[in-house]
């Protein structure tokens, strides 16, 4: 109807027929019709657009080349070291203006017995199409089926040792742009795995890559189950205390999810031995924290109304120790996987998937408390900081703005745990990869 009215209006205003006027009229009609045809697509929300994305369709925007590729070694070690290694590989491929061939991750956790590593395809953990849709124009993943195999790959050997400086590494990459290597369809980077590559990229670029990582539906379903169990436990605790769990929103709706605190509790024997040595070398006393110290620090957080459930993200070796859920202050009801009744969800998963589930449970908590020398905790806080930045909040100092994060190993000005946001201006990922006690609320 709108199109007919606009055409009628044009007809009434038409002047005596002339070739130029006719051409102009045809152009206007074409624009009106095209708008009517295309507007339904632009009404689709962003999540639906991700489902429409076809990684093999040609890009309309300039950016990463689709006919040139980078191949990297299997990505190994813990979940968050693997995420960092993957992001570093993506950013290296971006620097070379190439697509990254989808790498293998490692489902198991072995540091030295490489032959025991269980490779797992990236798209068995993270959604391939959603990654490319969310990171479109920034980086691009490709499947091996896109390679034509017309030539052997160019092997780019990563250097090692003290003489292989950050500057030498960057120079090597720059020489691979427009040089002999650029003639090859695939550049295969050989040598040490990506986590150990020199770092050239700012924190905000890593954050963008991590934000593109979306779990596949099968794993996301398990995450939702665990969070639902936590919130149900919180609801029971409030009911037993005679506190109604529903709360009214500003828009009048009710039944908000019951909030919870997630604590990444590093108190395993091997960690305590490691961090005590670390404290001696660095002459610092803000790395290790005992269970009692963690409980004391967490109890001083006033962001949430009590009683509140405290979910303890702990290593499997601690699940047989019932004492980790005891000794908490009144109004803080501690749960771990076993007490929560979700061990069956975790037991059927390999190490990598278990860690991915716990990461999301911590990342989506109303309050998160972790150790600033843990890569896991650092990446959880980075994820939460990125979300706060997207909401226009660049500081959490002195107020409860939601998505609060704390470092229990660093004392804040009020004697409690230090409020914690990632410094998004950092020029590399050094502090997040290896830890720091220099954390703040902005």
């Amino acid at each position: 109807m709108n199109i007919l009215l606009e055409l009628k209006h044009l007809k009434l205003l038409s002047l005596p027929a002339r070739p130029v006027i006719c051409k102009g009229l045809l152009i206007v009609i074409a624009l009106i019709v095209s708008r009517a045809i295309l507007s339904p697509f632009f009404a689709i929300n962003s999540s639906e657009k991700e489902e429409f994305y076809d990684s093999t369709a040609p890009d309309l925007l300039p950016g990463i080349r689709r006919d040139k590729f980078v191949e990297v070694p299997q990505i190994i070690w813990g979940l968050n070291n693997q995420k960092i290694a993957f992001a570093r590989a993506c950013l290296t491929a971006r620097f070379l203006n190439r697509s990254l061939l989808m790498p293998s991750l490692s489902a198991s956790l072995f540091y030295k017995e490489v032959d025991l590593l269980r490779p797992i395809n990236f798209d068995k953990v993270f959604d391939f199409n959603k990654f490319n849709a969310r990171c479109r124009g920034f980086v691009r993943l490709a499947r091996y089926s896109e390679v034509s195999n017309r030539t052997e790959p160019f092997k780019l050997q990563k250097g090692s040792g003290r003489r292989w400086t950050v500057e030498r590494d960057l120079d090597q990459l720059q020489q691979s742009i427009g040089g002999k290597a650029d003639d090859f369809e695939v550049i295969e980077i050989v040598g040490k795995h990506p986590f150990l590559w020199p770092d050239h990229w700012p924190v905000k670029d890593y954050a963008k890559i991590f934000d593109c990582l979306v779990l596949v539906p099968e794993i996301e379903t398990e995450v939702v189950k665990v969070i639902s169990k936590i919130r149900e436990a919180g609801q029971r605790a409030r009911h037993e205390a005679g506190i109604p769990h529903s709360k009214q929103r500003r828009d009048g709706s009710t039944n908000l999810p019951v909030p919870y605190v997630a604590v990444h509790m590093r108190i395993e024997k091997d960690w305590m031995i490691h961090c005590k040595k670390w404290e001696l070398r660095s002459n610092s006393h803000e790395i290790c924290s005992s269970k009692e110290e963690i409980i004391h620090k967490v109890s001083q957080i006033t962001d949430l109304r009590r009683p509140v459930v405290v979910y303890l993200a702990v290593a499997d070796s601690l699940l047989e120790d019932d004492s980790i859920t005891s000794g908490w202050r009144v109004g803080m009801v501690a749960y771990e996987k076993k007490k929560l009744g979700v061990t069956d969800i975790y037991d059927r998963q390999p190490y990598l998937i278990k860690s991915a589930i716990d990461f999301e449970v911590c990342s989506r908590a109303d309050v998160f408390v972790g150790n600033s020398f843990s890569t896991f905790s650092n990446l959880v806080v980075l994820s939460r900081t990125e979300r706060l930045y997207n909401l226009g909040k660049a500081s959490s100092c002195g107020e409860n703005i939601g998505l609060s994060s704390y470092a229990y190993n660093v004392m804040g000005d009020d004697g409690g745990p230090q409020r914690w946001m990632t410094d998004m201006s950092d020029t590399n990922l050094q502090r997040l990869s290896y830890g720091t006690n220099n954390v703040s609320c902005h």
Side-chain angles (χ1 to χ4, degrees):
M1 182 63 73
N2 288 337
I3 295 174
L4 292 175
L5 289 173
E6 291 186 52
L7 291 174
K8 184 177 180 182
H9 181 67
L10 287 169
K11 185 176 179 182
L12 291 172
L13 294 177
S14 62
L15 297 172
R18 291 182 182 177
V20 174
I21 295 175
C22 289
K23 286 181 181 179
L25 182 59
L26 288 172
I27 292 171
V28 172
I29 293 172
L31 288 172
I32 294 170
V33 173
S34 64
R35 185 182 67 181
I37 294 171
L38 292 174
S39 60
F41 174 76
F42 291 111
I44 298 173
N45 63 43
S46 58
S47 62
E48 289 173 321
K49 286 180 184 177
E50 288 173 359
E51 301 300 329
F52 277 90
Y53 179 75
D54 178 4
S55 64
T56 61
D59 270 322
L60 297 178
L61 299 173
I64 307 302
R65 289 182 295 182
R66 308 174 68 91
D67 60 342
K68 300 282 186 178
F69 308 94
V70 169
E71 183 179 13
V72 300
Q74 179 181 345
I75 293 174
I76 62 174
W77 293 354
L79 167 71
N80 292 288
N81 287 339
Q82 291 190 52
K83 289 168 75 171
I84 290 171
F86 170 75
R88 194 160 290 159
C90 283
L91 294 169
T92 300
R94 168 182 164 81
F95 184 81
L96 298 173
N97 191 23
R98 289 170 173 258
S99 300
L100 176 68
L101 287 171
M102 186 174 68
S104 288
L105 306 178
S106 299
S108 54
L109 179 61
F110 289 94
Y111 289 97
K112 294 181 180 179
E113 301 90 342
V114 177
D115 57 318
L116 296 178
L117 289 170
R118 291 170 52 195
I120 181 172
N121 285 344
F122 172 90
D123 60 359
K124 296 297 183 184
V125 183
F126 301 107
D127 192 301
F128 179 90
N129 284 334
K130 285 187 177 180
F131 178 86
N132 274 340
R134 293 165 75 100
C135 265
R136 195 169 192 174
F138 187 66
V139 297
R140 179 179 178 271
L141 270 184
R143 298 187 184 275
Y144 277 83
S145 58
E146 297 178 46
V147 180
S148 67
N149 289 322
R150 288 176 295 184
T151 60
E152 287 295 313
F154 178 87
K155 293 188 181 294
L156 185 65
Q157 178 70 50
K158 278 284 181 183
S160 59
R162 293 182 179 179
R163 293 186 178 181
W164 191 259
T165 62
V166 173
E167 292 75 21
R168 285 187 66 183
D169 187 80
L170 186 60
D171 184 60
Q172 182 192 54
L173 292 177
Q174 289 172 333
Q175 289 178 18
S176 301
I177 302 173
K180 179 182 177 182
D182 202 49
D183 296 333
F184 288 76
E185 185 182 16
V186 177
I187 293 178
E188 180 186 354
I189 301 179
V190 296
K192 53 190 178 183
H193 60 88
F195 182 82
L196 296 175
W197 293 354
D199 187 10
H200 310 293
W201 327 115
V203 166
K204 61 182 180 62
D205 284 356
Y206 282 98
K208 186 171 181 63
I209 302 288
F210 297 145
D211 191 51
C212 297
L213 293 172
V214 178
L215 293 174
V216 294
E218 298 83 358
I219 302 175
E220 173 63 23
T221 298
E222 306 290 46
V223 172
V224 172
K225 287 179 183 177
V226 175
I227 292 177
S228 296
K229 284 279 191 179
I230 296 171
R231 295 197 189 279
E232 287 170 12
Q235 185 173 326
R236 287 195 302 272
R238 291 195 168 197
H239 177 73
E240 291 169 3
I243 299 173
H245 70 273
S246 62
K247 185 179 178 182
Q248 192 168 21
R249 292 180 187 262
R250 291 179 180 178
D251 61 7
S253 62
T254 57
N255 293 325
L256 290 175
V258 176
Y260 69 95
V261 178
V263 180
H264 182 217
M265 207 165 184
R266 296 304 310 268
I267 56 173
E268 312 93 292
K269 287 181 180 178
D270 59 341
W271 163 261
M272 295 302 286
I273 292 170
H274 170 68
C275 73
K276 287 295 183 185
K277 291 180 179 178
W278 203 346
E279 284 188 337
L280 287 173
R281 288 197 306 268
S282 61
N283 195 29
S284 170
H285 299 288
E286 290 190 321
I287 300 178
C288 307
S289 295
S290 67
K291 172 198 161 185
E292 292 71 26
E293 288 171 330
I294 294 172
I295 290 175
H296 175 69
K297 290 283 184 66
V298 174
S299 69
Q300 293 178 281
I301 297 173
T302 59
D303 286 21
L304 297 178
R305 183 182 182 186
R306 298 182 187 181
V308 64
V309 164
V310 180
Y311 175 73
L312 307 178
V314 296
D316 288 348
S317 60
L318 291 174
L319 293 181
E320 300 306 318
D321 182 3
D322 294 334
S323 69
I324 65 169
T325 57
S326 63
W328 289 80
R329 304 291 189 268
V330 175
M332 307 199 84
V333 188
Y335 281 84
E336 34 70 37
K337 303 176 187 71
K338 186 178 178 181
K339 184 178 176 181
L340 198 62
V342 294
T343 51
D344 61 315
I345 292 176
Y346 288 85
D347 287 347
R348 58 175 176 258
Q349 304 291 353
Y351 159 78
L352 187 69
I353 309 303
K354 290 179 184 179
S355 296
I357 294 172
D358 254 2
F359 183 92
E360 290 300 321
V361 171
C362 290
S363 179
R364 302 178 196 183
D366 299 87
V367 175
F368 172 71
V369 193
N371 188 303
S372 65
F373 280 85
S374 160
T375 309
F376 181 101
S377 292
N378 268 292
L379 291 201
V380 168
V381 174
L382 174 59
S383 168
R384 295 164 69 84
T385 301
E386 175 78 354
R387 287 158 63 191
L388 287 172
Y389 267 66
N390 290 338
L391 294 171
K393 301 181 185 296
S395 172
S396 62
C397 301
E399 59 177 330
N400 178 17
I401 60 173
L403 287 175
S404 297
S405 301
Y406 295 85
Y408 58 67
N409 60 304
V410 181
M411 185 177 291
D413 294 336
D414 58 358
Q418 173 63 49
R419 280 185 180 266
W420 185 8
M421 286 182 73
T422 302
D423 185 352
M424 300 297 279
S425 66
D426 269 354
T427 56
N428 58 56
L429 212 64
Q430 176 75 18
R431 292 203 290 180
L432 275 69
S433 299
Y434 299 103
T436 178
N437 54 16
N438 184 23
V439 299
S440 68
C441 52
H442 53 78

